Amino acid sequence: MSALQPPMALLAELTHRCPLQCPYCSNPLDLARAGKELGTQEWLRVLGEAADLGCMQVHFSGGEPAVRRDLELFVEGAAKAGLYTNLITSGVLLDGPRIARLADAGLEHVQLSFQDSGADGANRIAGFTGHAKKLEVAAQIRGAGLPLTANFVVHRQNLSHLESMIDLAVAIGAHRTEIAHVQYYGWALRNRGALIPTRAQLEHSTSVVEAARARLKGAMLIDYVVPDYYAQRPKACMGGWGRRFLNVTPSGKVLPCHAAESIAGLSFENVRDRPLAEIWNSSEAFNIFRGVNWMPEPCRSCERAEIDWGGCRCQAFAVTGDAARTDPACALSSDHADLVDIAITESAAAAEEFVYRRYSALEPAG
């Protein structure tokens, strides 16, 4: 195993509060309330510790990070610490003056999410009437001179509009577009039956993206993330567990990936109790699946062991109940057929109704 390198990126989940209620959200089902969020000075300390640790980038996320009135202070603090600053936002709480303030504070890039290409579908999926505002904000971001990425999370209920989503990205002047199939953790796992595409939809969407890449080469970069449920080999999730990435939750827990809390039995340390560097280097949660020694066969002796790093631990847990098993996305996994069966069965059932992401969505009635 190679020597431990510093993390490349910090995902700073500033809050779980968000006006949107997207049913594919990767936030945990148990959303952190505002009273548990790290305060301004705590976040500024975390950003400084991340820079000292060797992080190069910070991605401000949520929930909706613009809920935080101190967002400009975080951007300024990160920029002064030498971190590249990226804002991942729904856009619905932004306006021209605030975007200008964020740019003045040192913001370098914005990722703006869209739920569909048209207002009806987008507003239904988001559980919030915000599509028109997003278009306004896209123009304001570009007017401020900031690079813009358009993010589209795609699934069975919007994949028929993929071509028009790409056209929308071009129309708003996006430098980059991310077409990301839903990854099934958090609220997305709860809504899997209403989201998972058929194999035919996946194959068609892949051909649409490849054609668009050829057509728009040199004009707009298109990143494409496929669902693991039809894969033959796993992805190197987050570049490998505890290798290149760390996530700090609104309440200060430090995670190897944004969905790691879905793994029952793992305990995550908090920046309120211990410095970020110590957590990165020596916490049990970061080391348990770091490297290759933890791997079962056939992973450990596989020639791809240090390429995909065992795939996704959260997915292994979600499908098998054991985070240490071979990622079921791998065709060599004894659980691979079960994963494919889930995809075929649930996509054929074609559920339509969403359980929207709400603090009370899963609480019993009455």
Side-chain angles (χ1 to χ4, degrees), residues 166-196:
I166 296 171
D167 290 342
L168 174 60
V170 174
I172 64 175
H175 295 79
R176 172 177 165 267
T177 296
E178 180 177 294
I179 308 294
H181 281 266
V182 168
Q183 306 297 301
Y184 294 99
Y185 319 110
W187 292 87
L189 182 61
R190 176 64 180 80
N191 283 285
R192 185 174 60 190
L195 296 168
I196 197 161

Side-chain angles (χ1 to χ4, degrees), residues 66-333:
V67 168
R68 294 286 301 238
R69 296 182 180 180
D70 44 7
L71 177 59
E72 289 88 336
L73 294 177
F74 301 150
V75 171
E76 181 181 36
K80 287 182 176 178
L83 295 168
Y84 178 88
T85 55
N86 175 42
L87 177 64
I88 304 171
T89 178
S90 68
V92 298
L93 298 182
L94 295 175
D95 56 24
R98 192 169 194 200
I99 291 166
R101 292 196 300 272
L102 289 166
D104 289 344
L107 185 63
E108 297 179 80
H109 185 269
V110 179
Q111 291 179 230
L112 182 62
S113 68
F114 290 88
Q115 284 68 43
D116 206 334
S117 57
D120 289 346
N123 294 337
R124 173 185 170 262
I125 292 167
F128 180 84
T129 302
H131 185 73
K133 179 63 180 289
K134 289 172 179 282
L135 298 178
E136 294 175 7
V137 168
Q140 292 163 344
I141 292 167
R142 297 295 295 117
L146 289 167
L148 173 64
T149 291
N151 286 356
F152 296 93
V153 177
V154 295
H155 46 83
R156 192 175 67 244
Q157 298 197 38
N158 67 6
L159 271 172
S160 62
H161 304 151
L162 182 53
E163 292 96 334
S164 55
M165 292 182 204
I166 296 171
D167 290 342
L168 174 60
V170 174
I172 64 175
H175 295 79
R176 172 177 165 267
T177 296
E178 180 177 294
I179 308 294
H181 281 266
V182 168
Q183 306 297 301
Y184 294 99
Y185 319 110
W187 292 87
L189 182 61
R190 176 64 180 80
N191 283 285
R192 185 174 60 190
L195 296 168
I196 197 161
T198 64
R199 188 185 294 274
Q201 281 185 304
L202 172 60
E203 292 172 352
H204 177 68
S205 67
T206 301
S207 66
V208 168
V209 168
E210 290 305 318
R213 280 174 166 169
R215 184 176 72 255
L216 298 170
K217 185 176 182 180
M220 184 175 71
L221 177 67
I222 301 177
D223 288 335
Y224 183 54
V225 181
V226 300
D228 288 338
Y229 280 52
Y230 295 110
Q232 293 296 303
R233 292 289 183 269
K235 297 190 292 287
C237 187
M238 311 311 298
W241 182 278
R243 293 190 69 251
R244 304 300 288 153
F245 174 90
L246 54 79
N247 179 94
V248 177
T249 73
S251 61
K253 293 180 183 179
V254 186
L255 314 177
C257 80
H258 57 280
E261 283 188 284
S262 65
I263 301 176
L266 276 187
S267 178
F268 301 98
E269 297 192 57
N270 196 297
V271 292
R272 286 173 165 150
D273 304 321
R274 197 177 183 198
L276 195 62
E278 290 185 11
I279 297 173
W280 171 259
N281 286 305
S282 61
S283 71
E284 181 180 359
F286 272 80
N287 282 299
I288 189 170
F289 299 123
R290 188 176 256 160
V292 298
N293 290 334
W294 64 271
M295 293 181 182
E297 293 294 353
C299 300
R300 186 181 298 190
S301 58
C302 180
E303 61 182 11
R304 296 182 55 86
E306 295 192 38
I307 297 174
D308 59 39
W309 299 100
C312 181
R313 299 301 88 221
C314 301
Q315 184 159 263
F317 181 81
V319 176
T320 74
D322 182 357
R325 287 181 72 84
T326 298
D327 186 342
C330 182
L332 300 177
S333 165

